Amino acid sequence: MSDHQTSVFSQIARAPEDPILGVTVAYNKDSHPSKLNLGVGAYRTEEGKPLVLNVVRQAEQKLVNDPSRVKEYLPIVGLADFNKCSAKLIFGADSPAIHENRVATVQCLSGTGSLRVGGEFLAKHYYERTIYIPSPTWGNHPKVFTLAGLSVKTYRYYDPATRGLDFQGLVEDLGNAPQGAIVLLHACAHNPTGVDPTVDQWEQIRKLMRSKGLLPFFDSAYQGFASGSLDTDAQSVRMFVADGGECFAAQSYAKNMGLYAERVGALSIVCKTADVASRVESQLKLVIRPMYSNPPLHGASIVATILKDSNLYNEWTVELKAMADRIISMRKQLLEALQARGTPGDWTHIIKQIGMFTFTGLNADQVAFMTKEYHIYMTSDGRISMAGLSSKTVPHLADAMHAAVTSMP
Ligand code: KET
């Protein structure tokens, strides 16, 4: 029975806010003057302002001044220059895989879109539809891959007792994975833990995975943000490409170029031969066309302009290093502030962890307390975006952490 007063959706349940982006929604509703958003991984300046990189401004100016530019559709795979430069950025300009035309690269909607297109491709064309993701991992990973049609399992990654890598657990779990299973790896600056394998451990992971035919799928959302060097942060990926084996890489320019809202990223699939790569690319087009047809032009043009021009590229590396260094200095300041307050516990993991986030070890109740009493917003797993912190706000955060730890141990 239907009547015109009743919506066909009247039975619909209200969905919860996203665990990460919902933190910003709650923050925006708070009118307290000293509120602080340390939820989403977005870089802010010492003044607490979003940053548009100088090289991005310059590239945009160049684009605006070029009257030959038009707004025609891009090809399904995106901007050719952007794809070429993106592959070079992650695999290295001298990568044999690139020179041998064994890499299929498609422009996608930032890191998330690249993961989703890669996931859909695998669900359609790969024989083992299980993907292993680290525990814990970025909260969107299980949703992206499940909706893509893969079956998601986890492998041990982080040990809360040592606040470090559970290397033995990782090796055991990947060792027990079925032959051919897909393995999601964070290329660097693991989110949310800030804990990365050492080069030696990467080598062991690589050998184990290759011996079992496990398929590596790298998520590279923070290249340059971990060490401040684009090459150092791509080392894990390059080790897996150097052995001649196959590998997936999803790149995002949201963080390292500050292009969050432009939604610009790339999916690369390194194949054994050029012939396979070109057939893979032809099938990627069949995934993309019915999903969003073809990608947007503006962000990709900015990235290509910067990556093609050696002056802009060099300037970018300097600006990127400055962002990475500011985060490292926030780590030092926060640790010192907690030590100065005599906050119970060992907090040295704050300076040992890498990348945008500190995985504090604070529990959900302590986080809720800090939000209620101090108007500090962060994800309930105790993750703090260090990029949202400044010298001015460190004392406020340290006060809140101290109170949370001492009043609700
Ligand atoms: N991978 C990882 C590991 C990641 O942390 C993010 C974003 C992405 C991919 C996707 O980013 P994109 O904007 O699609 O290029 N992480 C931050 C923002 C978010 O959750 O969307 C975050 O963890 O705060």
Side-chain angles (χ1 to χ4, degrees):
M1 227 183 52
S2 77
D3 75 66
H4 64 277
Q5 295 290 331
T6 312
S7 166
V8 293
F9 301 116
S10 58
Q11 298 304 311
I12 206 164
R14 178 169 307 280
E17 290 285 357
D18 182 79
I20 298 174
L21 301 184
V23 173
T24 303
V25 175
Y27 168 84
N28 286 339
K29 284 184 191 154
D30 189 333
S31 58
H32 199 274
S34 52
K35 67 176 179 172
L36 185 56
N37 188 3
L38 305 176
V40 69
Y43 184 85
R44 297 283 146 74
T45 63
E46 263 292 291
E47 289 70 47
K49 296 268 179 335
L51 178 67
V52 179
L53 296 185
N54 195 25
V55 282
V56 168
R57 296 274 191 224
Q58 290 180 60
E60 284 185 318
Q61 207 55 60
K62 263 179 114 162
L63 295 170
V64 167
N65 292 343
D66 178 357
S68 70
R69 285 173 46 79
V70 295
K71 304 286 187 188
E72 294 269 293
Y73 289 128
L74 281 180
I76 296 171
V77 296
L79 194 64
D81 276 350
F82 166 84
N83 289 338
K84 232 179 274 159
C85 294
S86 293
K88 277 192 197 164
L89 185 68
I90 184 116
F91 301 124
D94 53 359
S95 168
I98 295 176
H99 293 296
E100 292 156 14
N101 289 318
R102 293 192 282 113
V103 186
T105 303
V106 290
Q107 181 193 332
C108 296
L109 302 184
S110 213
T112 309
S114 307
L115 293 167
R116 180 67 184 263
V117 168
E120 302 259 351
F121 171 85
L122 285 163
K124 207 164 162 200
H125 297 285
Y126 188 55
Y127 72 97
E128 174 52 70
R129 293 199 180 78
T130 309
I131 185 163
Y132 282 72
I133 62 175
S135 173
T137 190
W138 181 47
N140 215 15
H141 278 149
K143 301 171 198 176
V144 166
F145 292 121
T146 302
L147 286 171
L150 297 172
S151 144
V152 174
K153 295 218 166 89
T154 60
Y155 62 89
R156 276 171 284 170
Y157 188 85
Y158 180 75
D159 181 357
T162 62
R163 295 201 168 124
L165 185 67
D166 181 359
F167 187 62
Q168 202 188 329
L170 179 152
V171 166
E172 274 173 31
D173 290 349
L174 295 189
N176 290 327
Q179 174 83 24
I182 309 154
V183 180
L184 190 282
L185 300 160
H186 293 228
C188 70
H190 181 274
N191 177 8
T193 67
V195 173
D196 286 349
T198 63
V199 172
D200 184 53
Q201 286 168 333
W202 273 121
E203 180 54 18
Q204 293 181 57
I205 295 167
R206 187 192 65 76
K207 281 199 186 121
L208 169 66
M209 286 182 55
R210 290 310 193 199
S211 75
K212 293 204 59 181
L214 303 177
L215 183 62
F217 193 148
F218 280 98
D219 181 353
S220 178
Y222 300 95
Q223 190 182 353
F225 251 94
S227 68
S229 154
L230 288 157
D231 288 321
T232 304
D233 287 357
Q235 210 175 348
S236 57
V237 181
R238 292 178 191 178
M239 286 166 74
F240 277 76
V241 177
D243 69 13
E246 296 184 311
C247 145
F248 281 53
Q251 285 169 271
S252 167
Y253 291 96
K255 327 273 174 164
N256 60 11
M257 270 194 203
L259 292 175
Y260 307 89
E262 297 293 353
R263 312 308 296 145
V264 56
L267 171 72
S268 285
I269 305 181
V270 180
C271 305
K272 287 267 185 182
T273 68
D275 177 50
V276 173
S278 81
R279 281 183 280 139
V280 162
E281 189 192 290
S282 72
Q283 289 293 342
L284 285 170
K285 286 157 69 171
L286 295 196
V287 173
I288 292 167
R289 171 66 167 150
M291 200 189 290
Y292 53 86
S293 193
N294 47 69
L297 174 65
H298 188 67
S301 304
I302 296 170
V303 172
T305 303
I306 294 169
L307 296 185
K308 277 195 309 188
D309 178 314
S310 62
N311 288 330
L312 289 178
Y313 181 91
N314 290 335
E315 251 188 78
W316 174 45
T317 62
V318 174
E319 289 192 80
L320 182 54
K321 175 89 168 51
M323 290 195 284
D325 285 347
R326 202 188 78 73
I327 295 170
I328 291 168
S329 121
M330 286 306 111
R331 292 185 181 281
K332 293 200 184 109
Q333 290 183 31
L334 179 59
L335 176 62
E336 282 166 15
L338 291 171
Q339 286 171 340
R341 282 160 182 75
T343 308
D346 177 3
W347 295 95
T348 50
H349 56 288
I350 294 174
I351 55 168
K352 288 182 200 141
Q353 293 171 351
I354 291 165
M356 243 186 188
F357 304 107
T358 292
F359 204 45
T360 57
L362 294 166
N363 62 40
D365 290 337
Q366 292 168 329
V367 171
F369 168 88
M370 287 167 57
T371 304
K372 184 160 175 279
E373 303 296 331
Y374 289 82
H375 304 269
I376 292 173
Y377 290 79
M378 50 195 272
T379 52
S380 63
D381 60 0
R383 185 190 86 166
I384 288 178
S385 171
M386 299 305 284
L389 209 53
S390 70
S391 306
K392 263 187 288 184
T393 51
V394 163
H396 182 54
L397 175 61
D399 286 344
M401 288 173 71
H402 184 83
V405 169
T406 47
S407 69
M408 37 196 336

